[in-house]
Amino acid sequence: MQPAVSIDHLVKQFDPAGFGGAWRRALGRPLKDPIVALDAINVQVQRGEVYGIVGSNGSGKSTLARVVATLLLPDSGSVQVFGHDVVREARTVRRFMNRVSVEASFFKKLSPLENLTFTGRIYGLPAGEAHQQIFEILKRLDIEEKAIRRPMDQMSRGQQQKVAVARALLTSPVLLILDEPTTGLDPRSKREVQDFVREVRDTHDATVILMTHDMDEAEQLCNRLAVIEKGRILVEDKPSALRREGETLEDAFIRLTGHAVEVHEPDEGADGGGG
């Protein structure tokens, strides 16, 4: 069976001078070496599995998520989603997927209901059907009915993150990319989001790619895991196979990378990012 996602020798680099790089070239000044964010990544994600990519901030996992989601262009190599190239067939690829990230953005002066209704219209969902689904999903994520009609800027970052998950699921994607979906959430909210991921996996026949630094989350949710470090995949296997006898998954991560997981939690209300 064709993989849900096939990544072949993917390379992504960034100019450390940013927009200033063009001026340096024009003036004949020496350029700094490019930053290699992804270095010959090879990954095959099978249909219906939850595939985890674990790493610290700056390891390349969020860059990988953005390339798969058609938000960044690869410098070389290829990425296919259900057989469609993310560069040549980006519009088709976007119809298959949705993405939840730690820097999820909204119309903050509008309510969750208004934001999600707008999303439903973009995706062509009938108004009545979308309205019913919005309330069902938000209530299952334990967002009170009065908060559903309240402006987003009056909600905590944790509540906003739940709305981001609801927005992704509203479109019934067959590929769901979760880029640090529970970062900054309180323990209860984290469990609720994780339970919802399991529900999507078990009842919606969706493929999930989970980028996370949370080893417990990775072990609980993922069929297979890849450890990413400095833009390279160090190892890939089932969570249980990565651990030696007596090790936790975090112990295994330290053994494989030489350091503990490094992460910078976003501030309350901040957009965040990184990784």
Side-chain angles (χ1 to χ4, degrees), residues 81-154:
V81 175
F82 299 106
H84 298 277
D85 186 88
V86 298
V87 176
R88 297 192 304 271
E89 302 172 273
R91 183 171 295 181
T92 300
V93 168
R94 291 181 194 126
R95 291 204 298 265
F96 291 122
M97 72 168 66
N98 216 317
R99 170 177 171 262
V100 178
S101 70
V102 73
E103 75 274 12
S105 59
F106 296 96
F107 298 106
K108 294 294 180 70
K109 296 300 181 183
L110 300 183
S111 68
L113 178 59
E114 291 167 324
N115 271 278
L116 269 60
T117 298
F118 178 74
T119 298
R121 288 176 179 171
I122 290 176
Y123 280 84
L125 298 178
E129 176 184 333
H131 192 272
Q132 180 179 348
Q133 288 186 38
I134 289 166
F135 274 89
E136 288 178 356
I137 294 172
L138 290 176
K139 285 181 179 179
R140 273 153 52 202
L141 287 171
D142 200 32
I143 294 180
E144 297 179 1
E145 186 164 348
K146 60 183 180 181
I148 294 175
R149 302 180 185 275
R150 188 181 300 159
M152 294 282 297
D153 60 8
Q154 296 181 20

Side-chain angles (χ1 to χ4, degrees), residues 3-12 38-45 64 67-70 72-89 93:
V5 178
S6 180
I7 302 172
D8 184 27
H9 288 85
L10 175 64
V11 174
K12 180 62 185 178
L38 299 174
D39 190 359
I41 297 287
N42 292 291
V43 166
Q44 300 281 313
V45 180
L64 180 56
V67 172
V68 176
T70 75
L72 287 174
L73 293 174
D75 293 312
S76 63
S78 66
V79 179
Q80 292 192 339
V81 175
F82 299 106
H84 298 277
D85 186 88
V86 298
V87 176
R88 297 192 304 271
E89 302 172 273
V93 168

Side-chain angles (χ1 to χ4, degrees), residues 244-260:
R244 291 177 178 172
E245 186 175 355
E247 279 188 337
T248 65
L249 191 59
E250 188 166 359
D251 293 334
F253 182 90
I254 294 171
R255 170 171 50 80
L256 291 164
T257 64
H259 61 81

